[in-house]
Amino acid sequence: MRVLVLSGSSRRGSVNTRLAALVADLVTGAGATADRATLGDFPMPPYDGDVEADEGLPPAAQALCDRIADAQALIIASPEYNASVPGVVKNAVDWVSRVRPQPFKDKQTLLASASPSMVGGNRGLWALRVPLEHLGARVYPDMFSLAMAHQAFAADGSLADAGLGERLAATIGAFLDLAEADTRYLCLQRRWYEFLGDRTDAPVTSRAQD
Ligand code: FNR
């Protein structure tokens, strides 16, 4: 299984990129392939309908779409800005949402955050969940937010607090189990979606394509 592990910060010394590196190690340790990236790998202009009409999708946005499409699961480690999702992260979501087939649709997705604050950027993840779920991403119920992130890492990149490290590993493991089941066992996939009234072949799903 291939998992895109995307940091929502391209800043040197980013705590979210450090968290993403740790997550990628856990993904690899679980036997999956971690494809690591930061948003800095995909420099794209602010979304503008005229730019899209005149020039089409920016190459970096297309590159991000391809990386999402190539992965069976997506993990995003995003900062929180002003109690919400950073503009650059939302801008990338907006560009990607213009592509058909829409890459977030049905994508198993886990959200994580890191912040020097006491809440670890968790409010930003609730804000990020909204557009992703609107687009049909299967956003995992549990999220992981690392508080006081500037002093949370040990020298080897692991989490200094053993209990937090165990919780992160358990969250990643459970998410990968679900993503693997959803990817491999189509009967489970159909039952789950139909239970939610979101049959994969029904017109109702087109809301994520319009
Ligand atoms: C922040 N930061 C921040 N932190 C937080 O926990 N809640 C918040 O609402 C905000 N708001 C905010 C706005 C803006 C514009 C900036 C630049 C920063 C602090 C932020 O968590 C901190 O800079 C992190 O280090 C950013 O993540 P990276 O870049 O280290 O991954």
Side-chain angles (χ1 to χ4, degrees):
M1 230 179 39
R2 188 176 178 84
V3 182
L4 177 60
V5 183
L6 179 67
S7 169
S9 172
S10 52
R11 194 177 69 79
R12 282 190 305 275
S14 158
V15 287
N16 284 280
T17 302
R18 290 175 77 180
L19 180 60
L22 182 52
V23 165
D25 286 347
L26 290 166
V27 167
T28 307
T33 299
D35 177 23
R36 285 187 57 187
T38 80
L39 267 191
D41 300 332
F42 310 100
M44 54 189 97
Y47 178 79
D48 182 321
D50 289 343
V51 172
E52 184 186 15
D54 295 345
E55 301 165 26
L57 207 69
Q62 184 60 57
L64 178 55
C65 289
D66 294 344
R67 296 276 283 275
I68 295 170
D70 284 348
Q72 281 76 50
L74 170 65
I75 301 177
I76 302 175
S78 173
E80 170 183 285
Y81 282 178
N82 298 312
S84 189
V85 57
V88 287
V89 176
K90 179 60 163 50
N91 187 52
V93 170
D94 291 342
W95 273 117
V96 167
S97 75
R98 304 298 294 163
V99 171
R100 299 292 176 274
Q102 197 264 99
F104 289 118
K105 177 85 178 84
D106 296 340
K107 189 67 64 181
Q108 290 291 343
T109 302
L110 175 72
L111 302 181
S113 64
S115 157
S117 81
M118 293 299 285
V119 285
N122 191 255
R123 294 166 302 185
L125 297 188
W126 285 108
L128 178 55
R129 180 178 276 273
V130 172
L132 292 178
E133 290 202 353
H134 167 78
L135 292 167
R138 304 289 164 183
V139 185
Y140 195 62
D142 290 344
M143 306 188 282
F144 184 88
S145 292
L146 183 63
M148 302 179 71
H150 55 302
Q151 53 192 48
F153 291 94
D156 65 358
S158 65
L159 294 183
D161 183 300
L164 268 186
E166 280 165 25
R167 175 150 178 260
L168 177 61
T171 303
I172 300 294
F175 169 69
L176 291 177
D177 284 349
L178 174 64
E180 184 183 29
D182 188 40
T183 303
R184 290 200 180 160
Y185 307 124
L186 290 181
C187 93
L188 170 74
Q189 189 183 75
R190 267 188 224 109
R191 279 178 192 217
W192 182 24
Y193 295 168
E194 288 177 14
F195 175 74
L196 294 174
D198 193 15
R199 287 171 44 194
T200 48
D201 59 350
V204 68
T205 58
S206 67
R207 70 178 170 80
Q209 302 284 348
D210 292 340

